[in-house]
Amino acid sequence: MTAAPEHAPTLAQISLRDRLSPYAPLLLVPLLTVAGFVAVQNPASWLTLTVSGLAMGMMIFLMASGLTLVFGLMDVINFGHGAFVSVGAFVGISVLLTLGHLTNAPSLGLNLLAILAAVLAAMAATASMGWAFERVIVRPVYGNHLSQILVTMGGLIITEQLIIVLWGPEEIYFTRPEALKGALTFGDAAIEKYRLVAVVVGLSVFAAMRFVLRRTKIGLIVRAGVQNGEMVAALGYRLRLVFIGVFIAGSALAGLGGVMWGLYQEVITAHMGNQAMILIFIVVIIGGLGSVEGCFIGALLIGLLQNYVAFVEPKLALISNIALMVAILMWRPMGMIPVVKAK
Amino acid sequence: MIGSLLSGDLPRSKILVLLLAMILFCLAFAPFLFPGVRTVDTAARICIFVVLVASYDLLLGYGGIVSFAHTMFFGIGAYGVALTSTHMGRGFDALLVGAGIGASTAAALALLIGLFSLRVRAIFFAMITLAVASAVAVLFSQFSSLTGGEDGLTFKTPRALGPAFKFGQDSFDGELFGVKLNGKLLTYYLIFGSSAALFLGLLRVVNSPFGRVLQAIRENDFRAEAIGYRVVYYRVAATCMSAAVAALAGSLYAIWLRYVGPDTTLSMEIMINILLMVVIGGMGTMYGAVIGVTLFILAQNYLQTLMGVLAGMTEDLPLLPDLLSPDRWLLWLGVLFILSVYFFPSGVVGRLRGQR
């Protein structure tokens, strides 16, 4: 009998650096606001820019969160996600326009009623569209990235053209309901009411998503599915049903984001989904595919950076997103909060 | 002879041989067979897009890399020629320098993007190229002092390539089979010749050991890496090569149109058309590019006419005329796109060669 090899267990202390590094991306948003303050140098404009950047970020987050979860769960990348944004905006704004007597009334309650109706209609429309999209377009191409990209791209083209058929080729201009017009002033800073609303809606959706994902059984299955779908399926959960649910919820969120984006810009075009798609992709890439928290941080970064740069050096705003993406990918090639996949 | 010219990659199907021979014949003698301005224009477009689509197929069909930045490279080549022709004056040297600068810029940009994004997952590359391409398109339309903005640039090509240049007055009386011998004819043959050379070059590339490694990577990158090929290097090399060829195709397009603008070279719509042409023709075969482009461009020209007729016939019905209006042809292409991915995954060439 040979003796067991000499083995002295050591207690290695995890360094502070290693402990903190997963949380490093969380620091980026406050860092960026500080950098923005240094660059802008005027507290009033800085406050305005920060709020509008946050509002923009929240809306991008609404549009992007569904896409990233869908990818994480079933490895399906949906290049047609932007279609839901456009459809949501068109349905929601049409409802608002037909309820003109409610939106023009100076009463806050009636305005909110109209907006609620618009949002519900848009979410219902995009949710059912998401269901159809999954059934008709995505289902035959599971597991084949190339076909997924091609087919969902086709879906985007068709939806965009159908919007033109149904609503006409012209862009639609409109004004926000009375209650959302105007701005609040804090000292010298004027903050549009609508941006505050967007921030509140975005934050509450994020909080709700976190609650569902962290505290409920279904959230547990979704998170486990994102980490390792095969194992979840092996444990007897019907991952496909969960996936379809997430797909529909993600589509509905994209629709909500579309309505809010439309109200933000006060003009909607059939191509808006296509344009939003680019921002959505950048956010999803820098967040780390499949990670909701990364998506949230990424969206805020993009929104803030775009607003600061547009104020300081307007021409550079066009490429600031790309520059941010390159910088983040150099730092963390899989995105800020990569989802570890056991594949 | 033909075997070595085609790099040993024969069409391997009688119908395909017939189709290709017919297309080649029509393109080679287009100005004499169909002496109309519009038809010759269509023929030149087919030549240029064959190169563009074939270079995209090198990425998509052989390398399995999905890129949305191909129109960006196409546009860079086109703007290269336009800018040198504007600043250096009209001349063949300007064209050559422009094409060279365009191709090398495109290759350098492809190298940059590739190094950043090809080492991670394929899907990343697709999204990153989409983002970069859209940013570049916006840049080109914003810096209007350099690029002419949305209006684009109109420029002059060498005198010998213009319609006013006549030749062969003494020997043929300035006409051959009833076709005027002028600079436009020369331009067509310049484009036809360059396109053919580039296409044969691409055929050479995909049938070389390099092309075989690319195919191996497409099938299973993990195994290819395990055998000892540096997958990233091969992917980056393929991206650069395809970008350079796309830029050259863009230069040819600029020479033919004597105009560049964001809509003709950089728009997303062209990117979607390229994807469709590759899918219809058949991914992973260079001949698929020829067939796909020819079918697509002919369809594009005649589908709209047909749709106009149909829309006129259904004028009294609700919604249908809107669906069938010639402006909505992209809608039907989208449907065609999805159907061909589902039911026709190997494209026309794959079908003709009898493989699924």
Side-chain angles (χ1 to χ4, degrees), chain B residues 90-92 95 156-166 182-191 255-256 258:
Chain B
R90 63 203 296 191
F92 282 100
L95 297 187
K156 287 181 175 147
T157 46
R159 204 167 295 279
L161 296 180
F165 176 77
K166 306 265 193 293
N182 61 14
K184 207 67 192 164
L185 193 72
L186 279 186
T187 320
Y188 180 77
Y189 279 103
L190 172 74
I191 282 164
I255 293 172
W256 177 250
R258 282 178 285 166

Side-chain angles (χ1 to χ4, degrees), chain B residues 91-334:
Chain B
F92 282 100
D93 52 341
L95 297 187
L96 276 178
V97 171
I101 292 179
S104 40
T105 314
L109 199 58
L111 181 71
L112 258 181
I113 303 175
L115 284 181
F116 272 118
S117 41
L118 274 176
R119 50 183 69 243
V120 282
R121 311 182 60 164
I123 233 155
F124 253 59
F125 190 71
M127 296 197 273
I128 289 175
T129 48
L130 185 64
V132 172
S134 69
V136 168
V138 172
L139 277 184
F140 269 90
S141 57
Q142 284 293 316
F143 283 94
S144 40
S145 54
L146 191 65
T147 60
E150 292 291 335
D151 298 334
L153 292 172
T154 311
F155 59 94
K156 287 181 175 147
T157 46
R159 204 167 295 279
L161 296 180
F165 176 77
K166 306 265 193 293
F167 63 95
Q169 301 287 8
D170 317 322
S171 39
F172 302 109
D173 211 17
E175 277 194 15
L176 191 63
F177 306 120
V179 176
K180 288 206 178 65
L181 297 175
N182 61 14
K184 207 67 192 164
L185 193 72
L186 279 186
T187 320
Y188 180 77
Y189 279 103
L190 172 74
I191 282 164
F192 176 76
S194 323
S195 301
L198 284 171
F199 180 77
L200 291 178
L202 280 172
L203 205 57
R204 180 69 260 170
V205 168
V206 298
N207 288 299
S208 66
F210 174 79
R212 293 274 176 269
V213 177
L214 269 188
Q215 278 165 296
I217 292 172
R218 173 193 70 193
E219 293 303 328
N220 192 332
D221 57 344
F222 187 70
R223 281 188 199 163
E225 184 86 49
I227 302 171
Y229 294 109
R230 301 292 298 270
V231 169
V232 175
Y233 291 174
Y234 278 89
R235 280 190 175 148
V236 170
T239 315
C240 291
M241 205 179 290
S242 132
V245 177
L248 290 177
S251 307
L252 290 178
Y253 201 44
I255 293 172
W256 177 250
L257 293 179
R258 282 178 285 166
Y259 162 80
V260 291
D263 287 340
T264 50
T265 52
L266 287 165
S267 74
M268 197 60 210
E269 211 174 309
I270 298 181
M271 189 65 239
I272 291 168
N273 292 354
I274 296 175
L275 265 170
L276 261 166
M277 293 179 201
V278 171
V279 170
I280 291 172
M283 286 180 274
T285 55
M286 282 292 148
Y287 299 117
V290 181
I291 304 279
V293 170
T294 313
L295 280 179
F296 185 89
I297 292 191
L298 291 181
Q300 187 179 18
N301 280 349
Y302 298 105
L303 187 69
Q304 279 170 304
T305 324
L306 176 72
M307 283 174 66
V309 172
L310 285 177
M313 277 162 60
T314 54
E315 214 163 319
D316 305 328
L317 301 168
L319 205 61
L320 256 183
D322 287 330
L323 283 173
L324 291 173
S325 126
D327 294 338
R328 294 288 80 76
W329 72 286
L330 205 58
L331 169 72
W332 298 102
L333 276 186

Side-chain angles (χ1 to χ4, degrees), chain A:
Chain A
M1 282 265 291
T2 50
E6 200 79 8
H7 178 67
T10 51
L11 280 176
Q13 192 90 34
I14 304 174
S15 70
L16 195 64
R17 200 191 148 98
D18 287 346
R19 273 184 213 219
L20 284 185
S21 81
Y23 301 103
L26 294 176
L27 290 174
L28 282 179
V29 176
L31 269 181
L32 186 63
T33 50
V34 172
F37 190 75
V38 174
V40 174
Q41 287 182 340
N42 174 356
S45 359
W46 173 78
L47 189 61
T48 313
L49 289 173
T50 307
V51 172
S52 65
L54 287 178
M56 192 175 155
M58 295 292 177
M59 286 184 278
I60 300 174
F61 167 71
L62 286 182
M63 297 188 258
S65 52
L67 185 76
T68 196
L69 269 183
V70 161
F71 178 83
L73 267 181
M74 296 295 250
D75 212 19
V76 167
I77 194 75
N78 182 5
F79 269 69
H81 197 74
F84 304 129
V85 173
S86 320
V87 169
F90 271 82
V91 171
I93 300 305
S94 305
V95 170
L96 272 186
L97 287 177
T98 45
L99 294 177
H101 56 285
L102 290 184
T103 55
N104 291 330
S107 141
L108 179 68
L110 288 180
N111 284 179
L112 285 181
L113 197 69
I115 292 175
L116 193 69
V119 164
L120 286 182
M123 287 179 76
T126 49
S128 46
M129 193 184 139
W131 179 73
F133 214 79
E134 198 278 338
R135 260 205 106 82
V136 179
I137 293 188
V138 181
R139 188 164 290 182
V141 288
Y142 279 129
N144 184 347
H145 278 164
L146 180 59
S147 300
Q148 281 166 12
I149 293 176
L150 296 176
V151 164
T152 51
M153 198 81 204
L156 177 68
I157 301 171
I158 294 176
T159 318
E160 205 172 79
Q161 295 293 317
L162 281 178
I163 287 178
I164 297 180
V165 169
L166 293 174
W167 274 280
E170 290 85 24
E171 26 197 57
I172 301 177
Y173 293 90
F174 57 92
T175 50
R176 285 178 210 138
E178 289 295 328
L180 296 179
K181 279 181 192 162
L184 303 172
T185 43
F186 294 92
D188 293 337
I191 294 172
E192 276 186 59
K193 281 186 204 162
Y194 182 69
R195 297 190 173 158
L196 287 176
V197 173
V199 172
V200 171
V201 172
L203 272 181
S204 32
V205 168
F206 180 61
M209 267 181 94
R210 262 190 82 91
F211 176 78
V212 171
L213 284 175
R214 301 269 155 193
R215 299 263 181 268
T216 61
K217 176 95 185 269
I218 190 94
L220 185 70
I221 298 171
V222 170
R223 274 188 300 139
V226 170
Q227 292 283 337
N228 190 337
E230 255 174 39
M231 188 53 104
V232 173
L235 287 172
Y237 293 104
R238 293 168 70 184
L239 196 64
R240 282 189 59 111
L241 276 185
V242 178
F243 171 77
I244 294 171
V246 168
F247 200 100
I248 292 174
S251 314
L253 279 180
L256 170 65
V259 179
M260 299 197 55
W261 189 250
L263 279 170
Y264 185 71
Q265 308 217 307
E266 299 193 277
V267 54
I268 49 175
T269 65
H271 306 293
M272 65 182 285
N274 216 334
Q275 286 153 3
M277 210 54 213
I278 306 221
L279 285 179
I280 293 174
F281 278 149
I282 294 179
V283 162
V284 167
I285 291 171
I286 65 181
L289 277 169
S291 143
V292 176
E293 280 82 7
C295 176
F296 185 66
I297 299 173
L300 292 187
L301 287 180
I302 288 285
L304 286 170
L305 187 72
Q306 177 124 1
N307 275 280
Y308 291 143
V309 177
F311 180 79
V312 179
E313 186 60 64
K315 286 253 172 187
L316 282 183
L318 304 168
I319 50 168
S320 66
N321 299 330
I322 303 289
L324 181 71
M325 184 173 79
V326 170
I328 300 261
L329 287 182
M330 279 169 80
W331 177 41
R332 295 195 168 182
M334 296 298 285
M336 289 187 294
I337 305 182
V339 175
V340 187
K341 282 239 165 200
K343 278 181 186 168

